[in-house]
Amino acid sequence: AVVAHVVASGAGFVEDLDESFKENRKDDIWLVDFYAPWCGHCKKLEPVWNEVGMEIKNMGSPVKVGKMDATSFSSIASEFGVRGYPTIKLLKGDLAYNYRGPRTKDDIIEFANRVAGPLIRPLPSQHMFEHVQKRHRVLFVYVGGESPLKEKYIEVASELIVYTYFFSASEDVLPEYVTLPELPAVVVFKDGTYFVYDEYEDGDLSSWINRERFQGYLNVDGFTLYELGDTGKLVAIAVIDDKNSSVEHTRLKSIIQEVARDYRDHFHRDFQFGHMDGNDYINSLLMDDLTIPTIVVLNTSNQQYFLPDRHIENTEDMVQFINNILDGTAEAQGGDGLLQRIKRIIYDAKSTVVSVFKSSPLLGCFLFGLPLGVISIMCYGICTADTDGGVDEHEAAKKENSDRELTDEGSEEEQEEEKNGKYTELSDGELKQKDIVEKKKD
């Protein structure tokens, strides 16, 4: 009852938006949920959205929270680029930022606060730097004065602010252990250390920040794996059961962690490391049943994957496996070729049928039994129609032959014999009929 009351009261902090929103929104920052009344995911998000509205209001944030029925106001939704439901956007002036994270209250609020605030946040003191560093696992900082690099940094921040924070500071604000080869510089602080952007080795600044916005080691789920696809990195994963504390599960996880930490300089440009709880998602991705614990390396750009050809006993074995992938000696499986696409269609269809029957056998029988029944009846009708046609043709042929026999002219003797035979036949018939009538009279 308490939870229901909180959710209901939270709805009062979320505004229902209509066509007037288009003109009235420009002076405010809006966090909007574009939904469809029939959408199941939208209904699941509704109580979370009410909590978001209540907490943002209680925080004193300038962000206003609203929701719009995108089916009733389709022209406005289309103008904002809404193509699916639910779609969460933060509207700030003429800019619209898409939210792509998990649909949880904390993640959505974090996104709203990050995007609604300044694009580049200054760090005026060491104390402020330490405070911010404790709050954020990954921290990007521009160090230096005005420069073309700063202009590029601001441009990238306007694009990637949806994912991470961007700061600026002077060199004396940074910790004493930080050594910069030159100024200006862009530095990322994560995993207990820092890395300096090098244009010659790291390439484009936007690509580098997009790759480095993740920690070196992650707890990977389906959403994180999807996000990692934008980095262009291979993803080395220990597939384990988090609830299983056996030596093998713990050992494989530790091996991946050690490689991510100790070989960071060797592999960080090409590899992302982590572990995944359970093999359900991996099985659907690889269309195979992997026995856990195991290690798999995924190429999310082309759906290829690599499995070790021998048991991974230690860190050295894992490093050798990674080197084999890099030099092309490890065998790649999967991919996005034609055969794999056909296999994917069959696998997805099979998975869908199995899941429907598992969740609701009666519904499965109705959904798949009814179309099969209709198809069977149609096939039977087609086959029957062909058979009847064949019989009709046969009867027509017989009739035609019979007509020909009746109309063909024979010799005079044959015609005379025919007449006599017919006369005899009729005479005998008349006699029989007469006998029957006389017997009835008697």
Side-chain angles (χ1 to χ4, degrees):
V2 172
V3 172
H5 174 71
V6 171
V7 172
S9 61
F13 298 104
V14 177
E15 296 189 34
D16 281 307
L17 306 176
D18 54 25
E19 63 274 355
S20 64
F21 171 71
K22 182 179 178 181
E23 296 298 326
N24 299 335
R25 73 170 187 85
K26 294 183 179 179
D27 296 331
D28 298 303
I29 301 173
W30 282 91
L31 182 66
V32 183
D33 167 29
F34 294 91
Y35 70 95
W38 44 260
C39 170
H41 294 292
C42 301
K43 294 176 182 177
K44 187 177 179 180
L45 176 63
E46 184 176 4
V48 176
W49 198 248
N50 291 336
E51 292 179 14
V52 168
M54 181 171 62
E55 186 155 334
I56 285 182
K57 184 69 174 178
N58 293 338
M59 290 167 56
S61 171
V63 177
K64 293 186 175 182
V65 181
K67 61 180 180 179
M68 175 177 285
D69 183 351
T71 60
S72 298
F73 306 102
S74 57
S75 60
I76 299 178
S78 178
E79 185 176 334
F80 286 120
V82 175
R83 293 179 175 81
Y85 311 114
T87 293
I88 299 173
K89 288 179 176 285
L90 188 133
L91 309 175
K92 182 181 179 183
D94 295 328
L95 301 175
Y97 297 91
N98 287 330
Y99 175 70
R100 300 179 181 178
R103 294 176 187 143
T104 64
K105 181 192 71 173
D106 293 338
D107 288 304
I108 294 172
I109 292 175
E110 176 73 10
F111 163 80
N113 290 335
R114 181 172 65 248
V115 179
L119 193 61
I120 309 295
R121 301 170 188 243
L123 298 174
S125 64
Q126 287 188 357
H127 176 73
M128 180 62 72
F129 181 91
E130 292 171 359
H131 172 72
V132 170
Q133 193 174 22
K134 289 178 181 178
R135 288 191 58 195
H136 303 290
R137 296 175 179 176
V138 180
L139 192 69
F140 289 96
V141 182
Y142 172 82
V143 185
E146 298 297 324
S147 69
L149 180 60
K150 184 175 182 179
E151 293 177 2
K152 182 64 176 177
Y153 183 73
I154 294 172
E155 180 185 335
V156 173
S158 65
E159 175 190 354
L160 300 180
I161 188 67
V162 295
Y163 298 118
T164 187
Y165 287 89
F166 293 87
F167 298 89
S168 64
S170 59
E171 190 174 10
D172 57 352
V173 169
L174 303 180
E176 295 181 357
Y177 63 82
V178 177
T179 303
L180 301 179
E182 61 180 1
L183 292 179
V186 177
V187 187
V188 59
F189 293 86
K190 66 176 184 178
D191 301 329
T193 185
Y194 70 96
F195 308 97
V196 183
Y197 167 67
D198 186 324
E199 182 179 1
Y200 298 101
E201 292 189 6
D202 299 314
D204 180 64
L205 178 63
S206 177
S207 300
W208 179 76
I209 291 177
N210 196 40
R211 291 195 304 269
E212 297 296 336
R213 64 186 175 91
F214 297 98
Q215 292 178 278
Y217 182 88
L218 297 171
N219 184 353
V220 181
D221 56 16
F223 175 79
T224 307
L225 199 58
Y226 173 79
E227 288 293 301
L228 289 171
D230 294 335
T231 67
K233 291 184 178 182
L234 299 174
V235 187
I237 304 175
V239 186
I240 62 173
D241 182 357
D242 276 338
K243 297 178 181 178
N244 192 325
S245 58
S246 65
V247 175
E248 186 66 9
H249 287 256
T250 306
R251 186 179 62 81
L252 286 183
K253 182 178 178 180
S254 298
I255 288 174
I256 296 291
Q257 288 174 328
E258 290 174 12
V259 173
R261 181 186 67 243
D262 300 338
Y263 293 84
R264 200 269 177 194
D265 292 337
H266 295 84
F267 300 134
H268 79 277
R269 287 186 176 87
D270 301 302
F271 279 85
Q272 175 67 50
F273 299 92
H275 79 274
M276 178 175 282
D277 181 23
N279 63 348
D280 290 341
Y281 186 83
I282 288 292
N283 287 346
S284 64
L285 198 66
L286 308 187
M287 296 179 287
D288 197 1
D289 190 10
L290 291 182
T291 303
I292 58 174
T294 189
I295 288 176
V296 60
V297 175
L298 304 174
N299 186 339
T300 55
S301 63
N302 61 7
Q303 299 182 12
Q304 286 185 342
Y305 63 95
F306 302 85
L307 296 173
D309 55 0
R310 57 192 178 89
H311 193 62
I312 302 295
E313 294 287 348
N314 48 46
T315 304
E316 287 72 24
D317 289 342
M318 186 64 201
V319 171
Q320 182 61 49
F321 176 44
I322 292 175
N323 285 326
N324 290 343
I325 294 173
L326 291 175
D327 62 25
T329 57
E331 181 185 359
Q333 302 182 51
D336 54 2
L338 179 60
L339 291 178
Q340 283 297 120
R341 292 178 185 179
I342 295 173
K343 184 179 178 182
R344 168 63 62 186
I345 292 172
I346 296 173
Y347 180 86
D348 289 342
K350 179 182 176 182
S351 300
T352 301
V353 172
V354 171
S355 62
V356 169
F357 273 98
K358 281 185 177 180
S359 59
S360 179
L362 292 177
L363 178 62
C365 291
F366 176 78
L367 290 177
F368 299 104
L370 183 61
L372 288 175
V374 172
I375 293 172
S376 300
I377 293 172
M378 291 174 63
C379 292
Y380 174 77
I382 292 170
C383 295
T384 305
D386 289 340
T387 304
D388 292 343
V391 173
D392 291 343
E393 290 175 2
H394 181 66
E395 292 295 334
K398 286 178 66 179
K399 185 176 180 181
E400 186 178 349
N401 292 335
S402 176
D403 290 342
R404 286 177 180 174
E405 290 176 0
L406 293 175
T407 55
D408 287 347
E409 291 183 357
S411 63
E412 293 181 1
E413 293 179 358
E414 288 173 348
Q415 290 180 12
E416 188 67 27
E417 287 177 2
E418 233 178 84
K419 288 179 181 179
N420 292 338
K422 184 177 180 181
Y423 177 78
T424 306
E425 244 182 298
L426 291 173
S427 299
D428 292 339
E430 288 176 358
L431 290 172
K432 290 179 181 178
Q433 187 67 24
K434 186 176 180 181
D435 290 340
I436 292 171
V437 172
E438 288 178 354
K439 288 180 180 178
K440 284 183 179 180
K441 286 180 179 180
D442 294 340

